[in-house]
Amino acid sequence: MSAGHTHKLYRHGHSPVHDLPPHCKLAAVFCFVVVVVSTPREAVWAFGLYALLIAGVTALARIPAGFLLKRLLIEVPFVAFAVLMPFVVPGEQTHVLGLSVSVPGLWGAWNVLAKGTLGVAASVLLASTTELRSLLLGLQRLRLPPLLVQIASFMIRYGDVITDEMRRMSIARRSRGFEARGVRQWGVLAKSAGALFIRSYERGERVHLAMVSRGYTGSMPVIDEVTASRTQWAYASALPLLALAVCLVGWTV
């Protein structure tokens, strides 16, 4: 994967957060999410403090608030699920805005929205400050199974290739006057999907043969060795440690 390969969530910058090693950021985000999930849902104030921590890291990374909020729209399906919970979860009833809703359902909806939003925000912030290639190197540094890292690497590498192939097939269909207007055109789309699968499979075989001919034995060579100093680990651990302190207070209060 070329060093210039980036993803849509990534925002180029030179901030203290951008400069942290990827495995430090991955570990920090994972620990932060675990702490957030472990927080009792009744400690409403704790989630407000978590949001302030995320806002502080966002400011330190020089990521515009609008950039982060726009990408939080990915959790809309979970929001829709949470909105239904007060109406479908059985239990004690109460009235909100003239509607009879379930108290356990309200707590459940709050639990899903608060923890889900914070988790997604932390993940988006990680993706906004770390390139894909660096994320893979970070996973490799954290001793994730090498086969999983390789699979993720090839998915990222050839995702754009397959997308371009789909675009070319779509252009070819339109140039021949095809328009998907109803069920009758589903057969053509199904054949196109089958052709795309066969082309992708054959491409994968050719790539594998090319790798084997160049000495591939099941593991990729490590070109860039990513290391982190104690100071960098200390900076990265600030977020989960502060969150852990909030969580502990939330369980004791």
Side-chain angles (χ1 to χ4, degrees), residues 74-159:
I74 194 175
E75 68 166 342
V76 168
F78 298 97
V79 173
F81 171 76
V83 169
L84 293 176
M85 292 184 68
F87 301 98
V88 298
V89 175
E92 180 185 352
Q93 298 290 310
T94 187
H95 288 82
V96 177
L97 299 177
L99 298 174
S100 179
V101 294
S102 166
V103 174
L106 286 174
W107 279 116
W110 160 253
N111 194 47
V112 171
L113 285 175
K115 296 180 179 180
T117 301
L118 289 168
V120 172
S123 301
V124 171
L125 189 57
L126 171 65
S128 301
T129 57
T130 316
E131 293 184 354
L132 280 176
R133 182 172 179 274
S134 298
L135 285 174
L136 293 173
L137 291 174
L139 293 173
Q140 192 173 36
R141 184 68 179 177
L142 292 174
R143 300 295 188 268
L144 194 74
L147 185 58
L148 293 180
V149 177
Q150 290 183 49
I151 292 173
S153 175
F154 284 117
M155 286 176 60
I156 294 169
R157 181 189 297 268
Y158 293 104

Side-chain angles (χ1 to χ4, degrees), residues 17-18 28 41 55 59 70-71 78-79 102 123-124 155 163 178 184 187 201 212 214 248:
V17 181
H18 284 80
R41 62 186 184 183
K70 182 178 179 180
R71 279 143 185 82
F78 298 97
V79 173
S102 166
S123 301
V124 171
M155 286 176 60
T163 301
F178 173 81
R184 294 182 178 180
Y201 186 84
V212 171
R214 288 165 175 79
L248 294 176

Side-chain angles (χ1 to χ4, degrees), residues 4 23 159 175 244:
H23 54 292
S175 66
L244 179 60

